[in-house]
Amino acid sequence: MNKGNILIKNASEVVTCSGFEAKTGKEMSDLKIISDGAVIIEEGIIKAVGKSDKILETFKEKEYQVIDASGKSVLPGFVDSHTHFVFGGYRAEEFCWRLSGISYMDIMQRGGGIINTVKVTRAASKKELYNEGIKRLNSMLSFGVTTVEGKSGYGLDCKTEIKQLEVMDELDRAHPIDVVKTFLGAHAIPEEYEGEEDKYIDYIITEVLPVVAEKKLAKFCDVFCEKNVFSVAQSKRLLLEAKEMGMELKLHADEIVQLGGAELAAELGAVSADHLLQISDRGIKEMARAGVVATLLPGTAFSLKEPYAKARYMIDNHCAVALATDMNPGSCFTESIPLIFALATIYMNMSVEEAISALTINGAAALNRAKTIGSIDIGKKGDISILEFPSYKYIPYHLGVSCVEKVIKIGRIVFDKERKGEKICW
Ligand code: NIG
Ligand code: FE
């Protein structure tokens, strides 16, 4: 995508979220706001940020596309650091079963759940997955997301895992949102390997991981470390191999049962451990000490009617907390950033400021990209959301409705509410 030159002026506030690494403890509450702010983006990169009058003294308006952001709040683009957005088919029936009281794990054990999506994803063409993927990315863009992580894990065989990752590659090239790819071959046990978890892990290690690593198809390797899925020992075996092949690590950890996935993430130096509804206090402390980002997914807890992760306790114990949607066809079918804000602030005792940090700079840190995205700092990518309201506080206050008016990606306007549905410049 072409890079642009933009001058944003007169913003009622520029919420910079300034920083180049994960924020912890009280740092998460300090959004480093500039009132009457302006931002300059040149060739897609942030060149200056400050008070409007000072910026306008130094930079000439005629050299930029000018956006007058009077009465509007300007923020970094959101980073949705945990999704499974490339998949075939839907599972609306299962959602209704869950409403009637059947649990997510029961559905999975009866051959539904992830395996259900695997069947349809295996049968889907690349074009079909791509077309659905574009629609989902467009929806994310309308919520102000400028970088998204996407996982494989609906193939559970070499061919389909690679297909999913290659589709994400194509989507990354075609769409303004940056797609960061994660290999999640150990998402479930495929029917061919039922009862043979260790054999399946061997298969991934010997047949699939080397192809993913050689083709550089994923930055991260992830695993569903959970009772009746992959044990701590199996997860560790896989992740150590992935690390050896140059991949960074993530885990779906302690979601349904307290298994020790958080402790494993700390031991292996994972970039993030995600879900953590059942994390132990020891796990929290070890993650904080090891600098592992805790990526919390309140949409999933909400959708599964599970208790929320202990965000308040984690933040108070210096664990860096990120928030993400977990967008997937089963446990949480949503791209909605406003929903995540509402749940985090109303049910998880996070302040609005902490939630903003969790979806910007800490989301970036959960992808090991805090040096290049996640804040409005000189030298970072010019990825920005402009709200239709004067303060970031309207985000959760306007319950479940997106306040994002414009989205800028590397200095180009790529979403404009007034022109919704139009392909603006990509
Ligand atoms: O993060 N927990 C495991 N994986 C996904 C759900 C995937 C699915 O149900 O399709 C999650 O919630
Ligand atoms: Fe997930």
Side-chain angles (χ1 to χ4, degrees), residues 82 84 91 94 98 104 108 113-115 117 151 154 184 187 224 226 252 255-256 275 297 300 304 326 328-332:
H82 180 139
H84 311 243
R91 289 162 32 208
E94 289 182 13
R98 288 209 311 276
Y104 177 78
M108 188 162 172
I114 294 168
I115 295 300
T117 299
K151 301 175 196 293
Y154 291 123
L184 179 56
H187 193 194
F224 190 11
E226 186 62 55
H252 281 64
E255 179 183 353
I256 299 172
H275 284 288
L297 310 164
T300 312
L304 297 182
D326 195 20
N328 74 72
S331 62
C332 189

Side-chain angles (χ1 to χ4, degrees), residues 16 41 92 122 127 166 196 244 271 292 301 323 363 401:
T16 68
I41 302 170
R122 284 182 180 178
K127 190 74 197 152
E166 285 179 347
E196 299 184 304
E244 197 63 32
V271 175
V292 181
L323 287 164
V401 178

Side-chain angles (χ1 to χ4, degrees), residues 204-324:
I204 296 185
I205 290 173
T206 55
E207 312 273 327
V208 194
L209 255 187
V211 185
V212 175
E214 205 211 294
K215 292 188 166 191
K216 292 202 187 326
L217 277 173
K219 180 175 165 72
F220 292 98
C221 180
D222 195 344
V223 56
F224 190 11
C225 178
E226 186 62 55
K227 187 174 169 219
N228 294 328
V229 193
F230 298 103
S231 68
V232 170
Q234 287 159 345
S235 303
K236 182 171 175 177
R237 197 154 69 80
L238 169 70
L239 292 174
L240 282 173
E241 292 286 344
K243 200 172 181 179
E244 197 63 32
M245 293 185 209
M247 295 165 82
E248 296 179 76
L249 310 182
K250 286 182 169 287
L251 287 92
H252 281 64
D254 299 322
E255 179 183 353
I256 299 172
V257 172
Q258 193 178 98
L259 214 62
E263 289 85 341
L264 178 64
E267 182 192 330
L268 299 181
V271 175
S272 76
D274 305 24
H275 284 288
L276 307 171
L277 305 182
Q278 306 294 339
I279 189 173
S280 69
D281 290 355
R282 191 174 131 222
I284 292 174
K285 286 181 184 127
E286 290 187 11
M287 278 181 48
R289 198 170 328 118
V292 181
V293 177
T295 302
L296 308 184
L297 310 164
T300 312
F302 177 62
S303 172
L304 297 182
K305 297 192 194 177
E306 295 283 344
Y308 294 91
K310 291 189 269 180
R312 184 72 272 133
Y313 186 80
M314 290 181 190
I315 295 171
D316 294 343
N317 282 278
H318 299 280
C319 204
V321 167
L323 287 164

Side-chain angles (χ1 to χ4, degrees), residues 102-168:
I102 308 173
S103 78
Y104 177 78
M105 287 314 264
D106 278 349
I107 292 170
M108 188 162 172
Q109 263 147 25
R110 291 180 199 176
I114 294 168
I115 295 300
N116 188 342
T117 299
V118 167
K119 286 183 191 141
V120 189
T121 307
R122 284 182 180 178
S125 69
K126 271 181 146 181
K127 190 74 197 152
E128 284 161 348
L129 294 177
Y130 175 92
N131 288 344
E132 289 298 307
I134 284 280
K135 284 190 223 160
R136 293 169 198 150
L137 287 174
N138 281 340
S139 167
M140 292 171 188
L141 193 65
S142 74
F143 292 121
V145 171
T146 47
T147 302
V148 70
E149 183 254 20
K151 301 175 196 293
S152 68
Y154 291 123
L156 312 183
D157 63 18
C158 191
K159 190 170 143 224
T160 318
E161 289 291 312
I162 301 293
K163 176 170 77 179
Q164 266 192 285
L165 292 168
E166 285 179 347
V167 167
M168 281 186 249

